[in-house]
Amino acid sequence: MKNGLVSLKALGLAAALALTVAGPALAGKKDDTLHVVWRVSVPNLDPQHNNLREGVVIGQLIWDTLVYKNPDTGAFEPLLADSWNWIDNTTVEFKLKHGVKFHNGDDFSADDVVYTLNYVANPASKIAVPGNGSWIDKAEKIDDFTVRVKLKKPFPAAMEYFAVPLLIYPAKYHAKVGAEGMGKAPVGTGPYKAVTVDGVKRYLLERNENGVPNSPKGRAKIGKVEIRTVTDSAAEMVELLAGRADWIWKFNSDQFDKLDKMPRIAASRDESMRIDFLLLDAIAPGDNPLAKQQVRQAINYAIDREKFVKYLVQGNARVIDAPCYPGQFGCDTSAAVHYGYDPAKAKALLAEAGYPNGFTTQMVGFRSAQWTAAIQNDLAAVGIKAQVSMVEGAVLVEKTKKGEAPVAHWDWGSLSVNDVSAVLPNFFGDEGYDRSQDKEVKALLDKAGTSVDQAERRTLYAQAIKLITERAYSVPLHTFTINYAYNRELDFKAYPDELPRFYQYGWK
Amino acid sequence: MSKPATPAVATTAPESRPAPFRRLLKRIVGNSGTLVGGGLLLLIVLAALLGPVFYPQDPFAQDVANRIAEPFWNGGPAIHPLGTDTLGRDYLARLLYGGRISLLIGVLAVSMAAAIGVTLGLVAGYFGGRVDLVVRFLITTRLAMPVVLVALSVVATVGNSLTIVILVLGFLIWDRFAVVARTTAMQVRGIDYVKAARAVGSSHARIIFKEILPNISNGLIVVATVELANAILLEAALSFLGLGVQPPLPSWGLMIAEAKDYLFFSPWLITLPGIALVLLVLAINLLGDGVRDITAPSGTR
């Protein structure tokens, strides 16, 4: 900024500050309410009937799981279960905690656990993420506080699922009201209970004074959490600047430094388990350039991922070579083929494949038009003309499944499960969005998915990663940085599993 | 139209040709709206047409290392006078090129709409009866469809491209042309010169296009300016919603959408295309009003 000129930037800031002064000072310590604002509408709060990250966040506030995964140590700690014991590779027995009550007063017992697990395992329940329960054969009640869970086959990541998505319902209540009723008036054992659910617009949660004894989540520190949904990111920013929101996330990285300099606001960011990648459709019928390995490799060489991460994604995001998060179990990055930025090599490979002048294709994105446009530009530089369409996340999923997205710009958060079984089979092992249908890769992933020998699993996943990257079924791009901005008075901490734990934060 | 000749015209009968022209010129000069609107429009058109030729920067060249460079008044680099956008593309180049897109879409969509609307309106007004009934039904049907909603659903189904946006807009904004052409043609068809043309055996087509059309064109020009502004705004709205022209083509609406997140900390990104859009639409509307005033029969205002 030069002296002597009233810059538009200063005017913008002044307007923002004016808003701060003019806006009702609702947020913050005063009313002991954490005002959260985000952009995503969760259609049904029932944790098994939405597959949105925001739904997962609310789920952890209202309900509890059998075990808790300590985000700092990675250890599993007792929550609704006091202890657990693997009887064999496919049987685990949980001893449950006594004296736990649901928000509606119902007592917690083995019936609730058996009901929930069998509900999730039953395909007729049509849950949003079938993988949450498809590996469970059945849950049986041994006595009032003992449950035995039989698995269909050995499933090494089982504890991860018991710790995050498998939130326990009150059996009687859920059986009576169903998923629809549960979404409108949620009841769980969690640190917060739902007081108001106003459609998808506003949720008001209040501290549960009768929480689970000795819960590793602890008693909620802030009395109330109010979550509101706004329609776009500019509106979200207004809420924060005007002091009507105490906490927002996933805003545009370019605002980070500027927000952090505001007097009332702090910003922080942390790498998340989410990865960004292009899924290439190798199996679409007809004249499909992407069916050729050289073309897919050329695309890998064509994209300047270092620059992309440094200037667009920013923060502590990293370039990745393997199609998984580097910290996940089984994500052996050294097994992956490294494709450096080499447009000349990309052109040579295209010529070799019979496309010396490139070709025209379609690219579908959903997260950021800016990011997708940057990739479009890199592809154009080697002669690949990608026509971009930006769609909703759900539309991208559909288009990928139907083979209508030759180059699909995806990202995937592995449902916070720290094991590649939550990402590789989904995209390369025929579980959902596999556009390679490579039998060799699938065999390796299947074998790794059911083995209980961790060393063997590691080897098998490494072999799979080698094949996937050699054959270039995807373009792994980078890990994500999740941006958070919040009231300076909030004692906030971010975790890489992309799960803000509102019950844990207090006021400074 | 048939005002009694003024004494001035009567006395200078031999040199009567330049007189109406001078009178028109006088009216234009006397009408500040026309002058401002016309001048502004001319300026924008010239900038859009010639700007990209003389201004050396490429509106498509990304340079992510130089993203969101500040414009000159914030002390930005001289090479990008209006700064760069979120992908490091020169903002002035994109604005100039975006003007081309807006004008191209506006002119083509309105030409198409005029061709459809004027033809239908003339035929209905001239023939009347059953033909009129059919055209009126078409007009009512068209008026019953909300433009933005239909445009959104068509583009969402067929996909978005420059051609499709032009076609969709062309097919959606012909109604005013039809209404005005029909009404004025009805007024004109009973006048003596039409009767005379019919008496000498002119064909229907000749009467419609050679006798009636030239005599009702003033009203249609005003409609065209209104619709031009309308088409440009609709394109901006569609592009803003991500259903207009495809990136990386710069459209002012798309630029506004891309800059939405930067409203607070880099406001020039959203302000500049916004101002450009306002000026263009304002210029066209002023010009349209002026043309209406100048060509109005009573017309000195």
Side-chain angles (χ1 to χ4, degrees):
Chain A
M1 244 184 278
K2 280 278 158 68
N3 294 334
L5 279 171
V6 179
S7 72
L8 279 173
K9 185 175 171 182
L11 275 179
L13 272 176
L17 287 171
L19 275 173
T20 318
V21 177
L26 282 173
K29 257 177 176 171
K30 265 175 245 163
D31 55 354
D32 194 26
T33 304
L34 179 68
H35 299 270
V36 170
V37 170
W38 61 41
R39 270 163 280 158
V40 173
S41 318
V42 182
N44 187 341
L45 283 187
D46 185 313
Q48 299 303 345
H49 291 276
N50 72 74
N51 56 359
L52 296 162
R53 174 60 45 168
E54 281 71 9
V56 179
V57 173
I58 297 181
Q60 302 296 325
L61 302 179
I62 299 180
W63 289 273
D64 284 319
T65 39
L66 289 170
V67 295
Y68 179 76
K69 187 175 184 192
N70 187 318
D72 298 315
T73 62
F76 294 104
E77 295 171 6
L79 211 173
L80 284 174
D82 258 335
S83 65
W84 55 94
N85 176 32
W86 284 91
I87 295 171
D88 57 45
N89 283 342
T90 55
T91 316
V92 58
E93 190 174 278
F94 290 96
K95 293 275 182 202
L96 305 180
K97 207 166 260 179
H98 292 252
V100 177
K101 276 190 185 300
F102 284 98
H103 300 153
N104 63 353
D106 287 0
D107 287 313
F108 164 77
S109 76
D111 292 329
D112 303 302
V113 178
V114 169
Y115 172 84
T116 306
L117 297 183
N118 287 333
Y119 177 84
V120 175
N122 183 359
S125 311
K126 295 205 166 67
I127 62 172
V129 184
N132 282 353
S134 57
W135 46 277
I136 297 175
D137 180 28
K138 60 178 191 287
E140 296 165 331
K141 176 179 175 178
I142 304 296
D143 61 46
D144 274 354
F145 290 94
T146 312
V147 173
R148 195 170 280 185
V149 184
K150 292 285 285 177
L151 277 52
K152 285 182 183 155
K153 52 191 178 185
F155 184 55
M159 289 312 285
E160 299 274 350
Y161 284 85
F162 283 123
V164 183
L166 294 176
L167 298 156
I168 304 299
Y169 293 134
K172 264 191 237 149
Y173 179 74
H174 194 273
K176 198 175 104 197
V177 300
E180 202 60 35
M182 191 57 135
K184 285 178 185 146
V187 173
T189 55
Y192 282 103
K193 53 187 179 187
V195 182
T196 314
V197 176
D198 180 5
V200 295
K201 266 167 58 194
R202 179 174 173 268
Y203 315 109
L204 183 64
L205 313 178
E206 202 176 78
R207 179 165 46 220
N208 176 15
E209 301 292 354
N210 304 310
V212 178
N214 305 319
S215 166
K217 287 180 174 176
R219 177 176 180 270
K221 286 192 183 137
I222 296 175
K224 286 176 186 162
V225 176
E226 187 206 35
I227 301 171
R228 278 180 301 128
T229 309
V230 293
T231 46
D232 69 11
S233 47
E236 184 182 82
M237 198 55 75
V238 169
E239 294 297 304
L240 180 74
L241 293 172
R244 291 189 294 264
D246 293 310
W247 187 93
I248 66 168
W249 71 340
K250 296 186 179 174
F251 53 88
N252 184 312
S253 282
D254 293 321
Q255 331 261 296
F256 186 87
D257 292 330
K258 280 145 182 161
L259 276 179
D260 200 30
K261 283 186 193 124
M262 307 277 296
R264 252 181 16 82
I265 296 166
S268 68
R269 51 185 162 199
D270 203 4
E271 190 187 29
S272 116
M273 200 184 275
R274 190 169 291 276
I275 57 164
D276 197 18
F277 56 95
L278 304 179
L279 196 64
L280 306 176
D281 192 338
I283 53 165
D287 176 26
N288 176 17
L290 297 171
K292 294 192 172 154
Q293 183 167 317
Q294 290 113 314
V295 171
R296 298 193 302 266
Q297 287 173 336
I299 294 177
N300 271 277
Y301 281 118
I303 295 163
D304 191 348
R305 298 177 296 166
E306 297 289 344
K307 214 170 182 181
F308 189 88
V309 167
K310 184 171 174 204
Y311 294 108
L312 292 175
V313 188
Q314 306 173 34
N316 46 6
R318 286 179 279 172
V319 169
I320 51 171
D321 285 329
C324 45
Y325 175 69
Q328 269 175 321
F329 178 88
C331 190
D332 185 351
T333 45
S334 64
V337 177
H338 170 74
Y339 294 93
Y341 175 53
D342 192 344
K345 194 156 184 186
K347 277 187 189 159
L349 279 165
L350 284 175
E352 219 175 279
Y355 300 96
N357 302 316
F359 57 90
T360 302
T361 185
Q362 311 283 327
M363 174 154 62
V364 187
F366 83 106
R367 173 80 55 189
S368 159
Q370 203 185 89
W371 292 6
T372 306
I375 288 167
Q376 180 188 29
N377 191 58
D378 279 354
L379 293 180
V382 298
I384 301 171
K385 195 171 175 293
Q387 291 163 341
V388 168
S389 50
M390 297 304 296
V391 297
E392 293 277 321
V395 178
L396 176 66
V397 172
E398 276 313 300
K399 281 188 177 281
T400 306
K401 278 189 189 164
K402 286 189 197 153
E404 291 170 3
V407 180
H409 191 177
W410 271 77
D411 57 61
W412 186 252
S414 292
L415 310 158
S416 294
V417 173
N418 201 14
D419 187 294
V420 290
S421 66
V423 50
L424 293 184
N426 304 56
F427 295 96
F428 310 103
D430 204 15
E431 282 183 23
Y433 324 107
D434 182 1
R435 301 305 297 173
S436 57
Q437 298 289 338
D438 187 317
K439 294 211 165 57
E440 226 175 314
V441 173
K442 181 174 160 38
L444 287 168
L445 293 176
D446 282 351
K447 202 169 168 206
T450 51
S451 163
V452 282
D453 177 350
Q454 298 294 56
E456 189 197 4
R457 289 186 72 220
R458 243 181 245 282
T459 320
L460 290 167
Y461 280 129
Q463 284 168 3
I465 287 169
K466 182 164 179 283
L467 287 186
I468 294 166
T469 51
E470 247 173 30
R471 296 174 185 174
Y473 293 126
S474 71
V475 184
L477 294 168
H478 58 86
T479 61
F480 267 65
T481 291
I482 305 289
N483 298 318
Y484 306 87
Y486 43 90
N487 186 334
R488 253 184 209 286
E489 292 182 314
L490 182 71
D491 193 8
F492 173 73
K493 186 179 176 202
Y495 295 101
D497 63 2
E498 215 181 310
L499 273 180
R501 289 154 168 83
F502 292 130
Y503 46 81
Q504 205 182 68
Y505 313 134
W507 302 110
K508 279 180 191 163
Chain B
M1 301 255 76
S2 52
K3 254 183 100 180
T6 57
V9 175
T11 49
T12 57
E15 39 182 84
S16 65
R17 267 197 55 197
F21 175 73
R22 210 179 298 148
R23 195 172 54 184
L24 184 67
L25 201 69
K26 205 174 143 197
R27 278 194 189 180
I28 290 176
V29 174
N31 187 305
S32 55
T34 320
L35 271 188
V36 174
L40 202 55
L41 186 62
L42 189 71
L43 211 67
I44 295 175
V45 171
L46 283 179
L49 291 182
L50 302 177
V53 180
F54 292 110
Y55 185 65
Q57 298 279 355
D58 178 354
F60 299 102
Q62 294 185 9
D63 176 10
V64 289
N66 279 312
R67 308 172 61 232
I68 324 179
E70 307 245 343
F72 69 89
W73 60 83
N74 279 359
I79 186 167
H80 302 298
L82 295 184
T84 59
D85 74 355
T86 53
L87 287 163
R89 300 174 291 204
D90 186 85
Y91 221 49
L92 178 57
R94 283 185 80 70
L95 278 175
L96 292 172
Y97 204 92
R100 274 190 184 182
I101 304 268
S102 287
L103 288 168
L104 181 75
I105 289 178
V107 169
L108 289 183
V110 168
S111 311
M112 201 179 132
I116 300 172
V118 172
T119 311
L120 285 177
L122 279 175
V123 167
Y126 178 72
F127 291 109
R130 285 205 184 137
V131 180
D132 186 32
L133 210 65
V134 172
V135 171
R136 254 163 46 206
F137 174 74
L138 286 177
I139 295 176
T140 324
T141 314
R142 171 31 227 111
L143 285 173
M145 295 191 291
V147 175
V148 176
L149 203 64
V150 173
L152 280 180
S153 29
V154 170
V155 174
T157 342
V158 193
N160 51 341
S161 75
L162 192 61
T163 324
I164 286 181
V165 172
I166 292 170
L167 287 177
V168 166
L169 291 182
F171 274 116
L172 280 175
I173 56 172
W174 53 266
D175 49 291
R176 280 205 190 99
F177 286 105
V179 170
V180 172
R182 175 179 164 275
T183 319
T184 46
M186 265 180 178
Q187 289 165 355
V188 167
R189 73 172 171 192
I191 293 178
D192 287 347
Y193 62 81
V194 177
K195 283 185 186 152
R198 204 173 290 157
V200 297
S202 298
S203 66
H204 288 312
R206 194 189 152 81
I207 296 172
I208 290 174
F209 291 106
K210 293 280 180 184
E211 303 293 340
I212 297 182
L213 184 57
N215 282 291
I216 64 169
S217 58
N218 286 343
L220 294 175
I221 288 171
V222 176
V223 173
T225 59
V226 171
E227 290 302 344
L228 182 60
N230 192 11
I232 288 170
L233 280 179
L234 276 173
E235 181 276 320
L238 284 179
S239 294
F240 179 81
L241 295 171
L243 292 166
V245 303
Q246 269 190 332
L249 270 190
S251 139
W252 292 344
L254 195 61
M255 288 169 80
I256 291 175
E258 286 167 354
K260 198 162 53 109
D261 278 358
Y262 297 82
L263 186 62
F264 296 102
F265 301 112
S266 313
W268 76 89
L269 285 174
I270 199 164
T271 320
L272 291 173
I275 291 174
L277 196 58
V278 168
L279 286 181
L280 178 58
V281 172
L282 183 74
I284 294 169
N285 280 330
L286 281 176
L287 187 68
D289 280 1
V291 170
R292 189 198 57 209
D293 289 348
I294 290 166
T295 56
S298 60
T300 40
R301 277 202 64 232

